[in-house]
Amino acid sequence: MKVSRADVIQRSLKGLCPNCGRPTLFREGRMFKVNEACPNCGLKIENGDGAFLGPFVINYGITVAVFVVPAVAGCWTGRLGITPALVIAGGGALVAPLFLYRLSWSLWLGLYYCFLLDSLPANRAGRPEDDP
């Protein structure tokens, strides 16, 4: 079965495996433990030592855009005092990454495979030169 870019994007927004569409990115019963590979289709999820950098950047970017920049802008324009701005920015910077962890992994895999669509096992079509 071929997987399209629309399928990959839709699956990444739902937190599903970009290849098979199953909820297998994380270990069952564990909030922050990413599977090395999808137990259903075998897609490698963690591809080496730097695999966490993509999700890290997405998580950081969302946190800064949603909490830190608005708090700094509110303080700069005088709509927020320094204490509320620090509470919003600091609290958001500490709490948001915990809630965004799973979403950032899913978005990273979706972005990665959106550009490298032919490297998904479902799209290899039996080409031996692409086997891992």
Side-chain angles (χ1 to χ4, degrees), residues 22-86:
R22 301 273 176 112
T24 55
L25 297 181
F26 293 88
R27 294 231 172 113
E28 196 171 328
R30 303 281 307 266
M31 181 72 177
F32 301 113
K33 185 62 178 165
V34 179
N35 282 322
E36 289 182 27
C38 175
N40 186 53
C41 68
L43 175 72
K44 282 190 174 185
I45 296 170
E46 274 198 56
N47 288 330
D49 294 332
F52 69 93
L53 291 175
F56 175 80
V57 169
I58 290 172
N59 201 329
Y60 178 79
I62 292 172
T63 301
V64 167
V66 172
F67 291 100
V68 177
V69 170
V72 170
C75 187
W76 188 332
T77 61
R79 294 188 177 159
L80 278 177
I82 189 75
T83 303
L86 286 173

